[in-house]
Every structure is written in structure tokens, then in C-alpha cells.
Amino acid sequence: STASSLRIVYSSGSTWGPTLWTMDLPVMAQVPQKFHIYDAPVAVADTHTGWGVPAPGPVEQGGWRHVWVGQGDQPSNLAKVTVAVTVSALSAGRLQVGPSGSFRPGRVVEYQAGDTRVEVEVPVGPNGRVALGNEGFDAHVKVDLLAWTSAS
């Protein structure tokens, strides 16, 4: 199946064994959505201070942080958020930003030595969090919420 078709497969018996039949049906689904853009960025996590993360300190190479992106004014069924991710590092690297607790893909943020700020739109995990995975050397990360979308 794809985003625009549903593949149905069924079998029928015959003299020479089962025969598989496939059919692709076009589908289109529209889910009403709610969308909100904040007037100013809303801080949700900062590893420098420990705000929004379990403990202060940089995200280690190969390490993860899971950030709750709910601020009390969003619905419980957030679909995706737009966040500004600021990475402070001594050398270049990559940060994976995606839904926490899910196998859905996210986005890759390439960062340079010093401070790098990137805005990304990512799905929210079923636990209401976004995961940050560091593929570079230790780096501090700050996350600001800019907007959200939900299925109403």
C-alpha cells in the first residue's frame, strides 16, 4: 500500500495450488486539522540549564534526549510540531530530530562548530514527545516550540 492506494491481496484454491490475486484501490483521506503558530518561540528544553530534560548536560555522542512538547494549550492529539533547534558544539555533527517512542522518520539537523539554529517540522511521538539523537560529539541542545498541528 502507498499513501494514495490500498493493496488488497487474497487467494483462491485451484487444481494446481493457491492463486494470489492483488488489487490496488485508490484512496483519499482528509482529516480535519487544527494549526497554531505562537507569537514568540516557547522554550521547551535546554540542556545547558536542564529545563525540559531529565538532567542538565550535553547530549553525548550516540545519546538521546526526549523532550515533551506539550505546553498545556495544545490538544492531546498533536500530529506534528515546528521547532527551532539550536545546537552548541565544539565540532560539526548530526542531530536526529523525530517522534519519540515511534519508528516514524524524523529530520536530520547538520550542525557546525559553534551555534547552529535550524527550524524543523517533525511528527510528535505517541507519548507527546520529540526525540533528539546526537550522532556527533557532545553538544548542548535548546528546543523552542514555534507551531503545532493536530488532527481534530
Side-chain angles (χ1 to χ4, degrees):
S1 297
T2 67
S4 61
S5 70
L6 176 66
R7 176 161 285 176
I8 298 175
V9 179
Y10 59 96
S11 67
S12 63
S14 68
T15 308
W16 298 282
T19 302
L20 292 177
W21 301 89
T22 63
M23 179 182 347
D24 289 331
L25 300 174
V27 294
M28 185 174 77
Q30 292 184 341
V31 177
Q33 295 184 335
K34 292 182 182 176
F35 184 77
H36 179 74
I37 299 174
Y38 290 97
D39 294 332
V42 177
V44 293
D46 188 344
T47 62
H48 283 287
T49 63
W51 171 257
V53 292
V59 182
E60 306 83 14
Q61 183 177 16
W64 288 86
R65 294 289 194 281
H66 299 270
V67 176
W68 182 63
V69 291
Q71 293 300 306
D73 62 341
Q74 302 101 328
S76 60
N77 59 344
L78 284 178
K80 56 188 170 183
V81 292
T82 302
V83 292
V85 178
T86 304
V87 182
S88 300
L90 296 176
S91 63
R94 294 168 40 123
L95 187 73
Q96 295 281 343
V97 183
S100 176
S102 173
F103 292 106
R104 293 181 293 169
R107 299 283 302 272
V108 174
V109 172
E110 302 276 346
Y111 61 84
Q112 302 302 318
D115 291 341
T116 303
R117 184 179 188 273
V118 178
E119 292 182 11
V120 294
E121 183 178 73
V122 295
V124 176
N127 57 8
R129 298 178 188 270
V130 171
L132 309 168
N134 189 12
E135 296 178 2
F137 292 102
D138 295 3
H140 278 286
V141 180
K142 182 178 185 235
V143 180
D144 293 314
L145 184 60
L146 305 175
W148 56 260
T149 304
S150 73
S152 61

